[in-house]
Amino acid sequence: MSTATTSGSWPTISTNPPDLEGLGTPHVKWGVPAGSGKSGYVFAGGSTDLKLDGTEFTLGTFTHENFPIQAMPVAQFTVDLTVKVVFEDGTESDFSFTFRHNETPNVGPNPEDEVDLPTFVSPESVTVDGEQYAVVISGFKQNGQVVRKFISAENSANSADVVALFNRVGRPDVVITTVRNKGQVKRTQADEYVEVVNRGTVPADISQWVLGADDAGQDFTFPAGTVLQPGQRIRIYTNEVHPESGGFNYGSGRPIWNDQGDTAKLRDTNGNLVSQFGYGKNAPPSP
């Protein structure tokens, strides 16, 4: 574990909105106010603990100041972010990302603005012990969950931690991160799930990979065309469909995962063990 300090600024924007100010600073604002203030983005860095093994950390806090403004020349545009990471040994590296903004109408069934990233991997890298590492953004942590799209309520300043990780350049890295083995749905525990994440810097094709615990009826085979993008996380539910996390489920009318604990295992198309995750109070120790 090492400590790093992050800071950020917004150097460029893809459109030319009225009353633009703050480019090159941590706080960029735009638009003619139609209420309490302009719209804008804020990035606040800070001190963070990080490892170079795919462990997630908080890159910084993103805030969207979503206040009513007069109509923009274009509703969709991008804003670039540069994040400086200073490692405890004094090494400094800049990493860049593009935030894609969707300025929705303030009236109607879905007035919230939306922010996402067209790519979640920084094009820059840092070399440590002869290995190149890039920053991969997993998503925005809102209400305790990491999501790939930031939903911003109107007429307020909305914040979320930007969750990221360092990993080797040019490699996928698929791991099981969570097993929820006790669902809240009575009898069927349909809301049990296993969470799988690609911590790598390139997409991972997991078509025909198998998730299970080596017991009859506990195998789930990923369908053809299942590709995890860098930083993307999915969940495989026992018997619920959640499109926001991939939409995968066993379709089982009974619980899959042992309430007392066991080990979830992920194998590739050749049967090789890719990742395993011990869960519950009876979980065997991980190797």
Side-chain angles (χ1 to χ4, degrees), residues 33-152:
S36 55
K38 295 183 177 184
S39 284
Y41 285 175
V42 182
F43 184 85
S47 179
T48 186
D49 292 327
L50 59 84
K51 292 182 179 180
L52 297 177
D53 63 353
T55 301
E56 291 182 329
F57 64 94
T58 299
L59 186 66
T61 300
F62 168 71
T63 299
H64 175 215
E65 296 174 326
N66 189 9
F67 299 111
I69 58 175
Q70 295 181 15
M72 294 277 286
V74 293
Q76 295 183 341
F77 52 91
T78 59
V79 188
D80 293 326
L81 172 68
T82 298
V83 179
K84 180 180 292 293
V85 178
V86 181
F87 298 86
E88 61 183 3
D89 65 357
T91 300
E92 296 185 8
S93 293
D94 287 344
F95 300 92
S96 59
F97 303 93
T98 297
F99 283 57
R100 183 166 49 196
H101 186 87
N102 183 15
E103 187 83 29
T104 59
N106 293 338
V107 295
N110 299 297
E112 300 88 357
D113 287 358
E114 299 177 354
V115 183
D116 64 4
L117 283 73
T119 178
F120 289 78
V121 183
S122 64
E124 304 85 3
S125 62
V126 60
T127 301
V128 180
D129 295 331
E131 291 275 6
Q132 284 186 301
Y133 294 83
V135 177
V136 181
I137 291 182
S138 293
F140 305 96
K141 192 169 186 178
Q142 285 186 306
N143 301 319
Q145 293 200 13
V146 179
V147 296
R148 302 280 273 186
K149 180 179 291 186
F150 182 90
I151 306 299
S152 183

Side-chain angles (χ1 to χ4, degrees), residues 185-197:
V185 177
K186 291 183 178 180
R187 190 178 60 80
T188 65
Q189 297 189 45
D191 55 332
E192 296 174 326
Y193 64 80
V194 175
E195 186 172 83
V196 176
V197 176

Side-chain angles (χ1 to χ4, degrees), residues 248-272:
F248 302 103
N249 74 88
Y250 276 83
S252 174
R254 63 179 180 84
I256 293 291
W257 304 100
N258 192 324
D259 284 355
Q260 300 305 311
D262 204 340
T263 303
K265 298 178 181 180
L266 181 65
R267 300 182 185 275
D268 65 17
T269 53
N270 295 317
N272 299 315

